[in-house]
C-alpha cells in the first residue's frame, strides 16, 4: 500500500457533530489492517532518527495512533486527557474552542526536563488543541522533537500556530 492510497480509507461525514462540519471518520482506516499499518509505519519512519523517548497522545483518537507509534519507535506512551480523568496530581491547560472552553491535563510527573517527546493527534484543524498541549509539555521543560498528525486540514491554517516545530502529517486536505 502507498501513502496516497490512505485517503481512500477515510470517510467524510457531513454535518457531524454539528451543521457545517465535515467530520473525517478514521474508523474506516483503523479497521483496514494494511491501511492502519501503513499509517503507523509512515509516522514512525519520519521520526525514527529523533531518538523519541516518549510519545504523548491526546485523548481519544490520539491514543490509538500514539500507542501504536510508541510501540513501533520503542518509546514510552504518555496520555493527555480531558479534565478529571487522570488519577494522580495533574497540570492542566484551558483553551478556547469554537464555542466555550475545554481543559486538558497531564500527570505532573509525566515528563522529565529535556525528555525527547513526540506529540500525536489524529487531525490538525485550527491548531487550538495542539497549541494547548504544547504549552503543557513546555511547562514540564521537555524537548518537543516532533508533532505528528494523520490528517491536516490545510485550509484552516492550523500550522501557522505551531511555528518553529517539526510538524508532519500523512494526509492533507
Ligand atoms: P483543532 O484544535 O481545531 O486543531 O481541532 C483538533 C481536534 O478536533 C482533534 O483532536 C480532532 O480529532 C478534532 N477535529 C477537529 N475537526 C475535525 C474534523 N473535521 N474531523 C474529525 N475530527 C476533527
Amino acid at each position: 500500500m502507498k501513502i496516497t492510497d490512505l485517503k481512500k480509507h477515510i470517510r467524510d461525514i457531513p454535518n457531524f457533530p454539528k451543521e457545517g462540519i465535515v467530520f473525517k471518520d478514521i474508523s474506516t482506516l483503523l479497521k483496514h489492517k494494511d491501511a492502519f499499518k501503513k499509517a503507523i509505519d509512515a509516522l514512525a519512519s519520519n521520526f525514527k532518527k529523533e531518538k523519541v523517548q516518549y510519545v504523548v497522545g491526546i485523548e481519544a483518537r490520539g491514543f490509538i495512533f500514539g500507542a501504536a507509534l510508541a510501540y513501533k519507535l520503542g518509546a514510552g506512551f504518555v496520555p493527555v486527557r480531558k479534565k478529571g480523568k487522570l488519577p494522580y496530581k495533574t497540570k492542566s491547560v484551558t483553551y478556547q474552542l469554537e464555542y466555550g472552553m475545554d481543559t486538558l491535563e497531564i500527570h505532573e510527573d509525566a515528563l522529565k526536563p529535556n525528555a525527547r517527546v513526540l506529540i500525536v493527534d489524529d487531525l490538525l484543524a485550527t491548531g487550538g488543541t495542539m497549541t494547548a498541549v504544547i504549552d503543557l509539555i513546555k511547562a514540564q521543560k521537555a524537548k518537543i522533537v516532533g508533532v505528528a498528525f494523520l490528517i491536516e486540514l490545510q485550509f484552516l491554517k492550523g500550522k501557522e500556530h505551531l511555528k518553529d516545530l517539526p510538524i508532519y502529517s500523512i494526509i492533507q486536505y
Side-chain angles (χ1 to χ4, degrees):
M1 177 169 301
K2 298 195 292 275
I3 284 187
T4 47
D5 293 329
L6 291 177
K7 252 190 188 175
K8 288 190 282 209
H9 296 282
I10 292 167
R11 174 164 64 180
D12 279 1
I13 312 285
N15 303 315
F16 181 89
K18 57 182 184 236
E19 217 39 48
I21 305 270
V22 179
F23 192 86
K24 297 291 180 195
D25 179 13
I26 55 150
S27 70
T28 38
L29 179 143
L30 294 174
K31 76 172 181 185
H32 191 285
K33 63 182 167 59
D34 295 334
F36 186 35
K37 185 172 185 356
K38 184 71 200 176
I40 297 301
D41 288 351
L43 289 169
S45 83
N46 192 69
F47 292 103
K48 68 171 183 281
K49 293 202 183 85
E50 292 296 341
K51 299 187 174 68
V52 175
Q53 293 175 293
Y54 299 97
V55 174
V56 170
I58 306 172
E59 187 172 3
R61 278 162 285 159
F63 287 1
I64 302 167
F65 294 100
L69 190 53
Y71 180 85
K72 179 93 188 176
L73 288 171
F77 177 79
V78 171
V80 165
R81 297 206 64 179
K82 298 185 175 139
K83 191 180 168 64
K85 301 281 187 183
L86 287 170
Y88 186 59
K89 291 178 225 164
T90 59
K91 294 287 180 196
S92 67
V93 63
T94 297
Y95 63 104
Q96 186 85 43
L97 292 175
E98 202 179 344
Y99 302 103
M101 309 290 278
D102 208 356
T103 299
L104 289 170
E105 295 183 331
I106 191 169
H107 275 147
E108 65 168 23
D109 61 351
L111 300 166
K112 301 254 178 316
N114 298 318
R116 298 178 66 81
V117 170
L118 171 62
I119 315 174
V120 181
D121 204 359
D122 67 324
L123 183 144
L124 173 64
T126 65
T129 306
M130 191 52 81
T131 303
V133 173
I134 287 167
D135 287 347
L136 275 183
I137 308 299
K138 284 190 172 165
Q140 299 204 340
K141 301 194 166 47
K143 182 169 170 49
I144 300 169
V145 298
V147 180
F149 304 92
L150 180 70
I151 301 167
E152 180 189 348
L153 302 183
Q154 289 176 323
F155 52 92
L156 293 174
K157 302 192 191 315
K159 236 182 189 170
E160 290 179 8
H161 301 286
L162 309 175
K163 286 204 181 93
D164 307 325
L165 287 169
I167 316 273
Y168 176 69
S169 61
I170 298 182
I171 300 164
Q172 297 82 26
Y173 292 92

